[in-house]
Amino acid sequence: MCGRFAITLPDDAMTRLFDAAPANDLPPVPRYNVCPTQPISVVISAEGQRRYGPMRWGFIPRWYKTPTDGPLLFNARSETIAEKPSFKEAARKRRCLIPASGFYEWTKEGETRLPWYITRSDAEPMVFAGVWQSWQGPEGARVASCAIVTAEAGPEMARLHERVPVVLEPEEWALWLGEEGHGAARLMDAPGEGALSFARVGTTVNSNRAEGPELIEPIDG
């Protein structure tokens, strides 16, 4: 799964990377401890143009009466995304790219949760596969929301967690966004062996209120 991540790259670098038009109300960066329900920046493709704008991380199905009317859906399992009522329409029609610098997972040592920071081994930005939804509340309020697609982890990642975000390569972005027709389902795999690097970081990040560059600094042990 992916329950926390960091995004440290400037918005102008992201819009150049994706060749996307930026919104005016992007969430601030850098952020070292992004949590579900917080706003994040994502890329969608609509009307022949890529757009880089804010969404709530935590997918809100159409039938929710309020954003908290049911479970918090911040991840979508690749194995069931095409059938699950919450996600199946979005998986066909509303896919997005979610940039990140890295994400966190935890192991346990006794009762202590030990955080790990995971990045691409080649030091390039991570781009998660995502799905999104425009939810309209009973009083007309609209909220754009999204979830990160996850896959079963390979042997390396499975030492930390059984799930891993689907990380897309640049040559896969257009297909995932629907710009190159059908076939996006074949992209929903775990990163290959050696694609990810793992570093133990301090337990300060265990608090969802913690913030700052020290959260991603590797430690010994």
Side-chain angles (χ1 to χ4, degrees):
M1 67 180 294
C2 180
R4 306 267 196 91
F5 69 90
I7 175 65
T8 64
L9 301 165
D11 290 329
D12 58 350
M14 292 293 91
T15 55
R16 288 196 302 271
L17 179 66
F18 296 113
D19 190 21
N24 294 323
D25 53 347
L26 295 171
V29 288
R31 295 158 70 201
Y32 296 89
N33 193 8
V34 180
C35 304
T37 75
Q38 293 180 346
I40 60 174
S41 295
V42 310
V43 179
I44 67 170
S45 184
E47 299 176 350
Q49 182 182 42
R50 290 183 182 178
R51 300 174 183 174
Y52 189 63
M55 289 191 186
R56 176 190 190 263
W57 181 25
F59 191 95
I60 309 173
R62 292 188 186 279
W63 57 86
Y64 277 23
K65 295 179 180 177
T66 70
T68 58
D69 198 33
L72 177 56
L73 305 174
F74 55 90
N75 288 166
R77 296 173 69 94
S78 60
E79 300 89 339
T80 59
I81 194 171
E83 292 83 32
K84 193 167 183 178
S86 299
F87 298 123
K88 63 181 182 179
E89 184 182 11
R92 292 195 306 270
K93 300 179 180 179
R94 293 185 301 278
R95 299 186 296 271
C96 62
L97 307 176
I98 302 175
S101 302
F103 67 97
Y104 300 96
E105 286 296 355
W106 281 261
T107 55
K108 289 195 74 173
E109 188 173 284
E111 295 301 313
T112 304
R113 297 176 72 232
L114 303 177
W116 295 76
Y117 185 57
I118 300 113
T119 59
R120 287 183 60 124
S121 296
D122 60 9
E124 291 295 315
M126 279 187 167
V127 178
F128 301 143
V131 291
W132 68 278
Q133 173 88 289
S134 180
W135 174 84
Q136 184 170 346
E139 297 181 359
R142 286 190 175 273
V143 178
S145 65
C146 63
I148 294 170
V149 180
T150 68
E152 183 178 357
E156 288 181 326
M157 183 66 199
R159 292 178 293 176
L160 302 184
H161 199 277
E162 62 184 11
R163 306 293 299 176
V164 65
V166 172
V167 179
L168 299 174
E169 299 299 326
E171 63 270 19
E172 298 171 330
W173 296 346
L175 181 58
W176 184 256
L177 289 173
E179 297 169 346
E180 293 184 348
H182 301 292
R186 68 174 182 262
L187 304 178
M188 293 191 290
D189 289 326
E193 297 300 290
L196 302 180
S197 294
F198 312 85
R200 271 274 287 115
V201 293
T203 56
T204 303
V205 76
N206 289 3
S207 168
N208 59 15
R209 297 182 180 180
E211 185 54 75
E214 66 276 9
L215 299 185
I216 64 173
E217 289 296 321
I219 64 171
D220 295 328

